[in-house]
């Protein structure tokens, strides 16, 4: 199971990236009265398994999900470092994005300083011309050095996307991948190209846990109801209400939901 989640529907260059995505977005706004005009996380992350992810891809593909305590970060103090490639707005966005965790959980995001922290494990916000993504959870096999989050300028412009990637690093998978998700959503495979079915895998309970937090359609980790839809006027996921399916909005990129924060607090034993 690969855990490297990256961005983008089109392998675009740094120069054309924003334009292409905006074109897709504008196009859908004109042709698609049902789909909301908001962007969703699947518009940023890449769903393409074969994308050329850097260094540790092979390792990422073999890792278990984050039920294991070893895949939680060992300390509540999380060191982070921002690439010197980032411009001032991008740097400010990362700091601001992390603030919510400092304020609403017992985690303390603190800037990494090589003179003080040496080779300590730290989250490294790196720049990529065309990808956004990271590996899920702490990697106990690599307890020192950087844990990369790669972000392109487009992803860096949205604090919610920076927070989404950071939640992956802390150990959260996508909400619709929960082992119990079939009780809450119905995946409309007939409206999803087969090459993207892997994006809708529910992870088995032996690898993941829900921390008994209620299924959260508003999670920052939830795809939208139109994610990867062949016919984007129709949902690819429908909410369930018992045996009934209902249409409802899912996902957002504004910021972590209360459910997301609750999971982090439980995972990191806040209080
Ligand atoms: Zn993601």
């Amino acid at each position: 199971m690969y855990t490297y989640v990256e961005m983008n529907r089109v392998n675009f260059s740094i120069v054309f990236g924003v334009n292409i995505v905006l074109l897709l977005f504008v196009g859908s706004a004109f042709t698609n009265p049902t789909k909301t005009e908001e962007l969703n996380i699947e518009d940023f992350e890449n769903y393409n398994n074969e994308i050329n992810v850097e260094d540790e891809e092979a390792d990422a593909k073999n890792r278990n999900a984050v039920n294991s305590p070893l895949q939680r970060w060992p300390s509540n103090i999380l060191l982070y470092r921002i690439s010197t490639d980032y411009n001032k707005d991008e740097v400010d966005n990362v700091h601001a994005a992390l603030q919510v965790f400092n304020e609403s959980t017992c985690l303390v995001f603190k800037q990494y300083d090589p003179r003080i922290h040496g080779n300590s494990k730290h989250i490294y916000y790196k720049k990529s011309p065309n990808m956004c993504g990271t590996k899920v959870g702490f990697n106990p096999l690599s307890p020192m050095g950087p844990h990369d989050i790669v972000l392109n300028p487009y992803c860096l412009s949205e604090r919610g996307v920076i927070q989404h990637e950071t939640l992956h690093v802390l150990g959260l998978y996508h909400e619709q991948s929960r082992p119990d998700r079939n009780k809450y959503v119905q995946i409309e495979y007939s409206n999803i190209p087969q090459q993207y079915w892997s994006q809708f895998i529910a992870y088995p309970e032996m690898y993941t846990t829900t921390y008994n937090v209620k299924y959260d359609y508003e999670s920052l980790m939830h795809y939208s109801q139109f994610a990867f839809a062949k016919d984007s006027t129709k949902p690819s996921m429908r909410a369930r209400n018992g045996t009934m399916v209902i249409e409802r909005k899912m996902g957002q990129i504004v910021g972590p939901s209360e459910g997301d924060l609750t999971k982090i607090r439980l995972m990191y034993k806040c209080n």
Side-chain angles (χ1 to χ4, degrees):
M1 180 186 311
Y2 67 94
T3 50
Y4 212 102
V5 280
E6 312 87 14
M7 69 121 353
N8 80 16
R9 302 194 166 196
V10 185
N11 228 346
F12 49 69
S13 72
I14 193 164
V15 178
F16 297 110
V18 172
N19 288 341
I20 288 173
V21 173
L22 285 176
L23 279 174
L24 288 172
F25 171 49
V26 170
S28 70
F30 281 118
T31 58
N32 175 5
T34 312
K35 188 168 159 72
T36 63
E37 293 189 10
E38 291 158 43
L39 289 171
N40 295 287
I41 199 65
E42 68 277 2
D43 297 313
F44 292 86
E45 287 193 312
N46 195 295
Y47 47 82
N48 184 351
N49 273 341
E50 282 78 45
I51 194 162
N52 176 29
V53 298
E54 298 157 47
D55 40 30
E56 295 160 297
E57 179 189 33
D59 164 45
K61 282 186 172 168
N62 290 323
R63 276 175 348 108
N64 288 336
V66 76
N67 204 12
S68 161
L70 293 175
Q71 291 182 275
R72 281 171 230 150
W73 286 66
S75 162
N76 285 11
I77 297 172
L78 290 134
L79 300 174
Y80 71 99
R81 170 178 161 202
I82 300 176
S83 166
T84 51
D85 292 346
Y86 285 18
N87 67 35
K88 185 180 180 303
D89 287 349
E90 292 167 342
V91 169
D92 290 348
N93 253 357
V94 175
H95 290 311
L98 297 179
Q99 223 19 58
V100 69
F101 302 112
N102 285 353
E103 284 165 7
S104 309
T105 73
C106 60
L107 298 180
V108 181
F109 279 85
K110 217 170 144 176
Q111 280 201 76
Y112 164 85
D113 179 341
R115 289 164 304 181
I116 300 169
H117 303 114
N119 195 31
S120 298
K121 188 78 171 181
H122 59 277
I123 302 170
Y124 185 17
Y125 294 86
K126 282 170 83 169
K127 205 157 193 174
S128 162
N130 55 10
M131 294 200 316
C132 300
T134 190
K135 295 198 290 185
V136 176
F138 181 81
N139 181 356
L141 300 176
S142 151
M144 307 297 278
H147 180 125
D148 294 346
I149 293 183
V150 292
L151 294 164
N152 69 14
Y154 184 54
C155 290
L156 275 166
S157 69
E158 287 285 349
R159 286 179 196 174
V161 176
I162 299 167
Q163 290 159 343
H164 175 101
E165 298 306 334
T166 305
L167 286 167
H168 277 315
V169 170
L170 294 174
L172 297 191
Y173 282 105
H174 292 144
E175 184 74 359
Q176 77 279 351
S177 297
R178 287 167 55 132
D180 61 349
R181 70 97 194 273
N182 287 333
K183 282 196 258 175
Y184 303 97
V185 290
Q186 176 167 303
I187 310 296
E188 303 292 349
Y189 287 100
S190 62
N191 194 29
I192 303 167
Q194 196 168 353
Q195 73 259 42
Y196 306 133
W197 287 4
S198 62
Q199 295 301 310
F200 296 89
I201 289 170
Y203 298 145
E205 221 149 338
M206 66 185 292
Y207 297 133
T208 61
T209 172
T210 65
Y211 290 93
N212 285 323
V213 175
K214 202 164 122 235
Y215 192 89
D216 185 5
Y217 296 103
E218 306 297 331
S219 168
L220 183 56
M221 308 310 282
H222 207 303
Y223 281 169
S224 84
Q225 67 274 33
F226 297 106
F228 311 105
K230 269 192 237 174
D231 174 352
S232 61
T233 65
K234 298 198 178 90
S236 51
M237 260 188 296
R238 287 191 160 88
R240 269 185 196 279
N241 184 355
T243 54
M244 304 250 295
V245 286
I246 50 170
E247 309 238 337
R248 66 158 291 165
K249 189 186 174 314
M250 304 178 199
Q252 46 85 20
I253 53 165
V254 177
S257 66
E258 201 43 46
D260 297 328
L261 294 170
T262 300
K263 266 184 230 161
I264 294 300
R265 289 185 204 114
L266 290 167
M267 200 183 251
Y268 288 93
K269 302 188 168 36
C270 297
N271 311 325

